[in-house]
Amino acid sequence: MVKRNDPCPCGSGKKYKKCHGRAESGTHLLTEQELKRIMADYIGSTPATGNDRAELSLLVKTWMSRLGGLMKAGAIEGAAYEHYAFNIRRDLWQRHLERSAATAREEVKRVLKSWNDPFVMFAELAEKEDGYLILKDVFGVGRWAMADHERIDAPEGTILFGTVLADPRVREDAVQPVSTLYSIPSQNAAAADRISAFADTLGEKTDEAFLESNLLDIFAILHTPAEEAEQQSDAAEPQEQAEQSEQAAGEAAAATEAPVTDEPVRSTADGDIENLTDGQRSAVTLLMTELESDGLGHDGKDSLRSAVIRYFRQENPIVRKPGGIVAGLYLAAQEENLLPGEAFTPKEVAKRFGVSESTAQKYATAFSGRLN
């Protein structure tokens, strides 16, 4: 395949773009303009329905709750929208491409076909070659090329992260960002190790599916300063041990001092979140916000709030994903017919709270039998 800056095959000695490539430049320009219009039409019309808008609004609210203080509000909203429009609701994107291809020219159709499967790329800049950035998959064996635009002024070793589309117009291995790529300087490359460690805690592999289903957590990991992340890691075990010791001491005291009674006594701990960890309190707050938006009555909200606090008191889990806790509680509550509205699947509730289906199922099992 002749590149624009290569010598023209006709032997004129001129660059291809200034010789026989001139005849094609107009076609390439039209293709570029049509593709930009197709992308703009999708972004401008998605989401279209009331239910889809409500779904996106809930997702943005969840992302804002988790990433507030780590990223600017506009950046959070943009990242959440991109994840919704191209990953979570890939069905909407693919239908748009199918409709657009019906009246497109052949070159545009070829590109649209390659755009059907957006994916989350987490790659290291390995080298620069003939106007392209050569990118090596950090967690796998993939290699991609991306046009070296002036706005990407990154040294080798930089990690580039974001949702991308295949771009076969010049190279079969080429990709282009959907909108934004996030760069991680080489000196902060330890963030990749933290992501791998996070995947290990979930028993999952760091493949494309993992990156997509845990995107919110990955953004949090990448935007947490390395020093703070190390402090959190170092402090996690002592803090957990201290809280378990405090809980055990409280239970021992209650066993010796509490009066004997035949009436059920509600523990004050059911409503007190002061001594919970930050992650546990975030899960309680998220739960109450979602139950309120779903229209659950006061007694129902209070009952589920008490249930999750009792779970935290008894098991004292380290909560890195508040959305996972709430997703699991929702599944368990639905199983007990404690929630209003239409039934939902594990996949739907996992998508709602920005976690993987396996995470939602794991916490649903943890809450099984605890809600009565």
Side-chain angles (χ1 to χ4, degrees):
M1 183 176 295
V2 182
K3 298 178 182 178
R4 298 184 71 243
N5 288 318
D6 288 347
C8 187
C10 74
S12 66
K14 297 180 181 179
K15 290 184 178 181
Y16 179 64
K17 66 182 180 182
K18 294 184 177 181
C19 191
H20 282 75
R22 282 184 172 180
E24 296 183 5
S25 62
T27 301
H28 289 322
L29 180 60
L30 289 174
T31 297
E32 180 71 18
Q33 291 174 341
E34 188 170 351
L35 290 171
K36 286 182 178 180
R37 178 188 59 77
I38 290 170
M39 177 67 77
D41 286 348
Y42 178 68
I43 293 175
S45 62
T46 304
T49 68
N51 287 339
D52 289 346
R53 287 195 293 270
E55 183 181 24
L56 174 60
S57 177
L58 181 60
L59 181 73
V60 171
K61 183 167 58 177
T62 301
W63 280 52
M64 292 291 287
S65 175
R66 180 72 185 281
L67 300 177
L70 298 177
M71 297 171 61
K72 293 182 179 179
I76 297 173
E77 292 176 351
Y81 173 81
E82 183 176 294
H83 182 46
Y84 175 84
F86 294 92
N87 294 322
I88 294 176
R89 294 307 307 272
R90 188 167 300 170
D91 59 316
L92 299 179
W93 170 240
Q94 291 174 340
R95 285 203 294 271
H96 176 71
L97 295 180
E98 184 178 0
R99 289 193 298 269
S100 301
T103 57
R105 292 176 296 108
E106 288 304 316
E107 174 66 9
V108 174
K109 287 182 179 180
R110 187 171 77 93
V111 177
L112 295 183
K113 183 178 180 181
S114 74
W115 278 7
N116 256 281
D117 295 305
F119 66 94
V120 177
M121 181 186 73
F122 197 97
E124 178 184 349
L125 174 55
E127 59 180 313
K128 297 185 179 182
E129 171 188 289
D130 297 330
Y132 283 89
L133 304 177
I134 305 303
L135 306 169
K136 180 181 178 299
D137 189 356
V138 171
F139 300 117
V141 297
R143 288 179 69 89
W144 304 284
M146 187 169 64
D148 185 9
H149 301 297
E150 292 182 0
R151 63 187 178 87
I152 303 179
D153 183 18
E156 293 181 8
T158 300
I159 291 176
L160 297 177
F161 164 67
T163 300
V164 299
L165 303 168
D167 185 13
R169 281 171 285 178
V170 181
R171 295 177 54 140
E172 291 302 321
D173 62 348
V175 295
Q176 66 177 75
V178 164
S179 61
T180 303
L181 278 184
Y182 301 85
S183 63
I184 306 167
S186 56
Q187 59 266 32
N188 294 338
D193 295 332
R194 298 203 299 273
I195 293 172
S196 294
F198 171 60
D200 289 342
T201 65
L202 302 179
E204 299 183 23
K205 296 181 179 179
T206 48
D207 53 14
E208 289 178 12
F210 169 82
L211 295 176
E212 181 181 318
S213 61
N214 294 278
L215 200 56
L216 174 55
D217 294 285
I218 291 170
F219 267 100
I221 291 171
L222 295 178
H223 286 82
T224 299
E227 297 82 1
E228 182 180 337
E230 290 175 2
Q231 290 172 0
Q232 291 173 351
S233 177
D234 292 342
E237 184 174 348
Q239 178 180 1
E240 180 182 10
Q241 292 173 345
E243 290 172 349
Q244 289 173 340
S245 298
E246 181 180 349
Q247 177 184 345
E251 291 173 348
T256 57
E257 298 173 7
V260 177
T261 175
D262 292 332
E263 294 297 322
V265 178
R266 177 179 175 177
S267 168
T268 56
D270 285 357
D272 180 16
I273 65 172
E274 288 299 319
N275 293 325
L276 298 181
T277 67
D278 289 343
Q280 292 168 355
R281 287 197 297 270
S282 295
V284 174
T285 300
L286 177 61
L287 172 67
M288 298 307 292
T289 300
E290 300 311 314
L291 292 177
E292 179 71 27
S293 68
D294 288 342
L296 187 62
H298 178 272
D299 290 344
K301 289 187 295 184
D302 189 57
S303 176
L304 292 178
R305 182 179 188 273
S306 295
V308 74
I309 293 174
R310 283 197 303 273
Y311 168 67
F312 289 152
R313 297 286 181 190
Q314 293 167 5
E315 304 297 336
N316 195 30
I318 297 175
V319 180
R320 296 188 178 92
K321 304 178 69 173
I325 290 283
V326 179
L329 184 61
Y330 259 63
L331 288 177
Q334 177 176 253
E335 188 68 22
E336 299 292 338
N337 297 315
L338 300 177
L339 296 177
E342 297 182 2
F344 45 78
T345 66
K347 183 177 181 179
E348 289 170 340
V349 79
K351 181 187 298 183
R352 171 175 176 175
F353 292 105
V355 299
S356 66
E357 188 174 344
S358 62
T359 297
Q361 292 280 23
K362 178 180 73 173
Y363 285 115
T365 301
F367 282 112
S368 180
R370 293 177 181 267
L371 304 185
N372 292 329

